[in-house]
Each structure stands twice: as C-alpha cells, then as structure tokens.
Amino acid sequence: MTYKYIQVPEAGEKIAFENGKLAVPDCPIIPFIEGDGIGPDVWRAARRVIDAAVHKAYAGKRSIAWTEVYAGQKSFDRFANWLPEETLEALKEFTVGIKGPLATPVGGGIRSLNVALRTTLDLFACVRPVRWFKGLPSPVCKPEDVNMVVFRENTEDLYAGIEFESGAPDNRRFLDLLRQEFPAQYAKIRFPDTTGIGIKPVSRQGSQRLVRAAIQWSLDNHRSSVTLVHKGNIMKFTEGAFRSWGYDLAEQEFGERVYTRRQWEATRKEHGEVAANQEEQDAAQAGRLLVKDIIADIAFEATITRAAEFDVLATMNLNGDYLSDALAAQVGGVGIAPGGNINYDTGAAVFEATHGTAPPFANLDKANPSSLILSGELLLRHLGWNEAAGLIVHGLEDTIAARTVTFDLHRLMENATLLGTTAFGDAVIRHMD
C-alpha cells in the first residue's frame, strides 16, 4: 500500500500470519506511535533498550525496521486528524505495533483514541502482566506474591460507548421506549427525568474468545489457574453470563486439560466437606489447569491479602480496567506495568504504555520509561524473540536492584540514585550484560 504521511523503510519485511502463527522475518517492519506528553521521552528510551536487546541477543542477525505512524496531538497538529485512516491501515498491514500514551481529545468526536484503536482493529484482549521487581516500593507486605496476568476483554461492556445523555432528545426517546415496551424495567429507574443511560453489551462470542485466549496462554506458559472475575451475583445476564460462558468454553473446548470449579463442586457434593484450597490441590494432582471464578469486589480484597492464590485473571472490560491498575499499585504503580492489546485469532497486536501522558513532565527527560520498555518486552515475546525479551527483564531487574531509578520511584525509596529517562534506559542496557 502507498502511504501519504508514513515512510515505510525499504530494508524491512512484513510480518505474516500463517496457520495460526506469526511468520516473523529477521527484520520486521513495526509501526510505532510516539504518544503525547511524556510519550516522546519514554519512547526514545524504550526504543533504544529494545534495539539493544535484539542486537545483543542475535549478534546483529536480527533487527527491527521501525516506522512512525501518527495519532494523538502530534497527528492533529500535523494533519488536523486525531487518528488518520493511514495509521489504522498501517497497523493492519504490518500486524504488530507499539505506542506511547495518548491523550483523549477534549470535546466531541473520538471518545478515546485508545478505545478507538482497540475496537477498530478488533484487539479483543488487553493483556496486562503484573509482577514485582526486587527493590520496588510497595504498600503491601508480600509484593513478591504478586505475579499475575490480567486478560481483559477490550471491545464490549460499558466501554462500547452506548450512552444517552440526561435531557437529550435521544435519551427521552429511549426512556419512552423503555416505559412503553418494558414497564417493569422502567420502574427501576429512580429519577427518570434526570437520568443518563449507559448500555452494557456482553456477548457469548466476545466472552468466550477472551476466555479461550486466557486459557490457551496459560497452558502454553505452564500457569496453574485462570480465574474468571465477574459481578454475576448482581448482573446475572451480563456478568453472570460471562462466568457461565467461560466455564462452558473451558469444559467443551479444553476437556481433560482443565479442571473447572463447576466440576469440582459436583465432586464436593458427592464427597461432602473438603479442605480449604482442595480444588487447587486436585487440579495440580491431575496435572490440569484450574479454571475458577470470583466475585469482582472480593477479587480486589483477595488479590491483596492472598495474592499467591491468583495466577491468570480473565475479566470483562470495566472490571479489568480497575483491577489491572489496582494490582499495579501493589508492585510500584502503572509506571512499571506493561500492556498489550492482542487479537489471538489474527496475530494483530498493539503494545502500549499503560500510564497517562503526564503533560507537566513532558520534554524534561524525567519520566519513567519502564512501562513502555516492558511493553516492548511483551512485543518481543509475541514475535517469538524470547531471548531478547529475557535480556530486557534481566536489565530492568538489575537496574532496579541497584536502586538506580527515575523520580517517581526515587521519592519512595531510601538511598536510591536518581536518574533521568535517558540515563535509566542506558542503565537497563548496561545491566543486560
């Protein structure tokens, strides 16, 4: 495809998706979006770290042909467009991309650039690994127990953006329809004259492809359990359905490779009372992946007080947004938390910094690039370049263990050395050796 704004490097090749797997050349073309605010600062550091890891791991035999695509404020300033069609086409054509943080435009138009990218490209799984690096400040007593991966459904739930503003003509039409056709439901609205309305779509297809991805990833990576997080005790036909559809999918498609709580509960009824955590023991003894569930509000308490009991979490959109940030707070904050938006059916993915744009710190070479660096590590693993990904983890671990950190962590640590964004990236590269 010919692009008007995008410079496609001649040296690189496209990533393909063949027989359910990525076919990655030695020099893949990978689009990047710098991002807004601190985006350019953290991207420069992250790019150098990713390139260094690839070079060290493969002795120069592999490299990445980066190509810049545009979204956010930089795009609007240049092209009067927050999210050009060319950017979406390039991300589709080259399959895998990475981005810094993007601001949400004020006023009408796109509600969220991040949501627009995920839904337009159908990146249905937001994957957020959360783990503690030794030396990081934490508000919990045992942060070393936090080693979870959140699979958050990315395209449905309240984030679908189906809303009717209080007092607007569409709102009145919708409420009139509800009153006429569904009077019992209308009667549950306490103050209809001043109520805004949001609709929560949750489908079997959307739920099951997310749960399928979480289970398959867990099996491939030798994890012990997948926990379905839901509020099905209250929202029975959306969140409750997510739970039921998740169990159906696990039992029907994965068979003897998994052991679900529904199956365990049937055994419990047959054999009476059993010991605490017996389901985990039964699954481990059988060599199966345990698929269980938990009410969302209890998940927030339990992942703090009993973090070691959780491994992979599969959630709907809103719960996953809350939970992934809450987990990140236990291990140093969103500045250290990576993220990837992935369609496991096509291989398409956009990896991203999970924090905001932080405009007051823009262009100061001060921000923590760890989130984007670790998102680059996820990108490399998605390509199958695990050796390079391992170097990034090793470099970051040793940099933090040496107590050489950026200001966000420095202010929380005693006897630490303060580094700027660039110097922190340099330290990660040095510690790869």
Side-chain angles (χ1 to χ4, degrees):
M1 179 176 176
T2 302
Y3 295 98
K4 183 177 179 181
Y5 306 127
I6 298 167
Q7 301 292 321
V8 178
E10 296 181 0
E13 298 178 62
K14 295 180 187 178
I15 296 170
F17 191 70
E18 302 171 351
N19 301 318
K21 294 183 179 180
L22 290 177
V24 183
D26 286 338
C27 185
I29 298 171
I30 297 183
F32 70 89
I33 299 169
E34 275 192 335
D36 298 324
I38 61 173
D41 288 348
V42 297
W43 169 245
R44 282 191 294 270
R47 176 174 175 171
R48 290 178 54 254
V49 170
I50 297 166
D51 284 342
V54 171
H55 182 78
K56 287 176 182 289
Y58 307 114
K61 294 179 181 179
R62 287 178 174 175
S63 61
I64 295 174
W66 300 106
T67 182
E68 184 172 11
V69 298
Y70 299 93
Q73 190 67 53
K74 185 175 184 178
S75 176
F76 186 79
D77 291 344
R78 290 192 177 192
F79 316 120
N81 190 333
W82 291 101
L83 184 58
E85 189 64 29
E86 275 200 1
T87 294
L88 296 171
E89 289 301 321
L91 290 168
K92 291 176 185 177
E93 182 176 3
F94 300 113
T95 308
V96 176
I98 189 168
K99 58 178 279 296
L102 290 174
T104 298
V106 177
I110 296 173
R111 294 166 60 90
S112 165
L113 294 173
N114 295 319
V115 172
L117 281 167
R118 295 165 189 165
T119 54
T120 303
L121 300 172
D122 198 27
L123 305 174
F124 64 81
C126 179
V127 182
R128 294 276 300 271
V130 186
R131 55 155 292 187
W132 183 68
F133 289 89
K134 186 176 181 180
L136 282 177
S138 172
V140 298
C141 296
K142 299 180 69 177
E144 65 273 14
D145 286 350
V146 180
N147 186 5
M148 306 176 206
V149 181
V150 177
F151 274 71
R152 166 191 169 195
E153 201 288 319
N154 236 353
T155 64
E156 297 191 316
D157 202 357
L158 292 171
Y159 282 36
I162 307 171
E163 290 191 294
F164 302 96
E165 182 182 3
S166 173
D170 285 351
N171 177 285
R172 290 192 291 270
R173 288 173 57 200
F174 182 83
L175 287 172
D176 285 344
L177 176 66
L178 199 65
R179 178 171 50 81
Q180 293 165 14
E181 300 294 334
F182 304 97
Q185 283 77 9
Y186 180 82
K188 296 178 181 180
I189 301 174
R190 185 63 60 91
F191 304 109
D193 292 339
T194 59
T195 291
I197 300 291
I199 296 180
K200 180 185 179 75
V202 176
S203 70
R204 177 190 293 270
Q205 294 94 324
S207 299
Q208 290 192 332
R209 68 178 182 173
L210 183 280
V211 174
R212 180 184 297 113
I215 292 175
Q216 188 61 59
W217 186 92
S218 300
L219 290 168
D220 291 344
N221 289 275
H222 311 291
R223 307 297 283 233
S224 62
S225 69
V226 173
T227 303
L228 310 176
V229 182
H230 63 92
K231 192 64 179 170
N233 57 330
I234 304 297
M235 291 169 275
K236 300 183 183 301
F237 303 133
T238 52
E239 307 232 353
F242 173 85
R243 172 189 180 275
S244 297
W245 291 331
Y247 277 138
D248 291 344
L249 180 282
E251 294 165 2
Q252 293 165 11
E253 291 194 13
F254 291 92
E256 296 299 314
R257 290 185 290 171
V258 303
Y259 182 46
T260 71
R261 175 165 284 172
R262 288 200 311 199
Q263 295 167 328
W264 175 79
E265 286 176 344
T267 301
R268 181 180 180 182
K269 290 175 182 177
E270 292 174 6
H271 297 94
E273 291 299 319
V274 294
N277 299 325
Q278 186 64 50
E279 58 183 346
E280 284 87 350
Q281 297 175 37
D282 291 349
Q285 186 174 4
R288 299 185 188 183
L289 176 75
L290 176 64
V291 180
K292 55 185 177 176
D293 73 277
I294 190 170
I295 301 296
D297 48 319
I298 298 174
F300 281 86
E301 179 267 340
T303 52
I304 294 173
T305 59
R306 307 191 306 276
E309 296 180 13
F310 298 91
D311 197 348
V312 175
L313 307 173
T315 84
M316 283 168 293
N317 212 334
L318 184 62
N319 290 336
D321 194 2
Y322 294 155
L323 189 57
S324 55
D325 280 5
L327 289 173
Q330 296 186 49
V331 296
V334 292
I336 201 77
N341 303 287
I342 304 171
N343 184 318
Y344 285 91
D345 298 332
T346 66
V350 176
F351 298 88
E352 64 181 353
T354 60
H355 52 70
T357 58
F361 304 110
N363 304 312
L364 297 180
D365 194 44
K366 188 174 182 178
N368 186 349
S370 296
S371 176
L372 200 54
I373 288 171
L374 287 171
S375 295
E377 186 262 348
L378 290 182
L379 183 154
L380 293 174
R381 292 197 187 278
H382 189 63
L383 300 184
W385 293 8
N386 294 336
E387 299 85 358
L391 286 175
I392 288 179
V393 172
H394 175 66
L396 194 62
E397 283 179 333
D398 284 5
T399 300
I400 293 171
R403 309 184 75 78
T404 49
V405 293
T406 49
F407 84 100
D408 55 320
L409 300 176
H410 181 266
R411 61 191 175 184
L412 302 174
M413 299 169 65
E414 295 181 359
N415 302 316
T417 299
L418 177 63
L419 298 180
T421 309
T422 302
F424 184 85
D426 291 341
V428 174
I429 293 170
R430 285 197 305 274
H431 282 291
M432 288 180 189
D433 295 325

